[in-house]
Amino acid sequence: MPAVRVDGIEVAYDRVGQGPPLVLAHGATTDARLFGGQAEDLADEFTVVAWDEPGAGRSSDVPLSFTLGDYARCLAAVIEDVGLGPAHVLGLSWGGTVVLELYRHHAGLVRTLLLVDTYAGWKGSLPAADVRARVEGAERMLAVPAEVFAPTMPGLFAGQPSAEAVRLLSVMSADTRARSMRTELTVMAEADQRDLLPEIEVPTLLLWGELDARSPVETVARQFLGSVPRATLVVLPGVGHLSNIEAPEPFNRTVREFCRAHS
């Protein structure tokens, strides 16, 4: 298992394949395992790197003072540790917010951006009432006793998820740490990256599930499309928030074609 240390925090990641680097950043209550289907399919053409963000999976816990810039700095250290130069960097949901902050501070490490069912921070993409409702829901999840803590996010799928998808999410949820989740959600709720979007100079793929209830196409994806100069929007029909799980074949094909075109 590759890993890199950043100010005493160990950040673990998976690495498979050969070719231009494709770095994958997962969302809340998940870890590198979320991208197993992408690693398996895309490793024939790319060096696929999926991290466990600080506080998730095999990586170290994070202090309560951890900031969005700290997450981005750790992701930058992973890309530098891989050592293959600027990467195609994909972020799903909360992972997309981290990836945007990576670009803000470490643009030289980014060949292209792939923003998947994501946000410019909750504050930057959602109405204030929606942000309050999400924070309140998270607080209720975090308030339960440790022995029954099993966080879930509503609206992840448009249809009935497969038994394998349910099992995978359950396993990752069971491994979620309440303290790390609190830090992550606090950062997400306060993040507003709208100022960054017009400054993005690299080719950017916006990959969205048509029926994403958590980050709707018509509001959030269109916000990105109207703000990021070199953005292209691809909408996967009939798919929800976890589009890589719900529609892996068109998801992987779209990612492959985009990265191939810009490698």
Side-chain angles (χ1 to χ4, degrees):
M1 178 195 71
V4 63
R5 295 190 70 84
V6 183
D7 295 339
I9 294 175
E10 185 171 79
V11 183
Y13 62 92
D14 294 329
R15 173 178 177 168
V16 295
Q18 293 184 346
L22 169 61
V23 176
L24 310 175
H26 59 83
T29 74
T30 64
D31 54 48
R33 290 173 288 185
L34 182 71
F35 293 116
Q38 284 64 60
E40 181 179 352
D41 185 62
L42 298 171
D44 64 325
E45 189 170 351
F46 303 95
T47 300
V48 182
V49 176
W51 82 334
D52 287 338
E53 72 173 17
R58 301 152 296 181
S59 295
S60 300
D61 288 331
V62 295
L64 293 175
S65 60
F66 216 62
T67 68
L68 186 55
D70 292 327
Y71 285 104
R73 186 159 49 92
C74 290
L75 185 55
V78 168
I79 296 173
E80 290 170 341
D81 196 56
V82 170
L84 294 177
H88 304 290
V89 188
L90 181 153
L92 188 153
S93 191
W94 148 254
T97 303
V98 174
V99 162
L100 284 170
E101 202 66 12
L102 169 77
Y103 184 82
R104 184 193 296 277
H105 298 290
H106 309 276
L109 296 176
V110 179
R111 182 189 300 267
T112 66
L113 287 171
L114 298 89
L115 304 175
V116 181
D117 297 283
T118 189
Y119 317 87
W122 281 354
K123 186 177 181 180
S125 290
L126 300 175
D130 288 1
V131 175
R132 286 195 299 271
R134 293 189 184 198
V135 170
E136 290 168 0
E139 290 295 339
R140 287 192 295 271
M141 282 193 295
L142 290 163
V144 302
E147 60 271 17
V148 296
F149 178 68
T152 58
M153 296 291 179
L156 295 180
F157 297 101
Q160 181 65 35
S162 68
E164 177 60 23
V166 171
R167 186 200 65 79
L168 175 62
L169 291 178
S170 297
V171 169
M172 291 188 291
S173 176
D175 289 342
T176 299
R177 303 166 224 170
R179 178 177 173 180
S180 295
M181 182 178 172
R182 181 179 294 279
T183 301
E184 176 185 78
L185 291 173
T186 298
V187 170
M188 186 62 162
E190 296 174 352
D192 184 348
Q193 298 164 312
R194 284 175 289 185
D195 67 305
L196 173 63
L197 303 185
E199 306 301 321
I200 295 173
E201 297 180 350
V202 298
T204 301
L205 173 66
L206 309 173
L207 183 52
W208 244 260
E210 176 193 20
L211 303 179
D212 186 344
R214 294 191 61 81
S215 179
V217 172
E218 291 305 317
T219 52
V220 185
R222 297 290 176 189
Q223 169 200 30
F224 279 97
L225 187 62
S227 300
V228 179
R230 300 177 65 185
T232 300
L233 174 63
V234 175
V235 178
L236 300 178
V239 177
H241 190 63
L242 290 185
S243 51
N244 72 308
I245 298 291
E246 198 164 9
E249 291 185 7
F251 182 97
N252 295 349
R253 182 173 63 251
T254 303
V255 169
R256 182 187 295 276
E257 292 172 353
F258 177 82
C259 292
R260 180 187 288 164
H262 298 288
S263 290

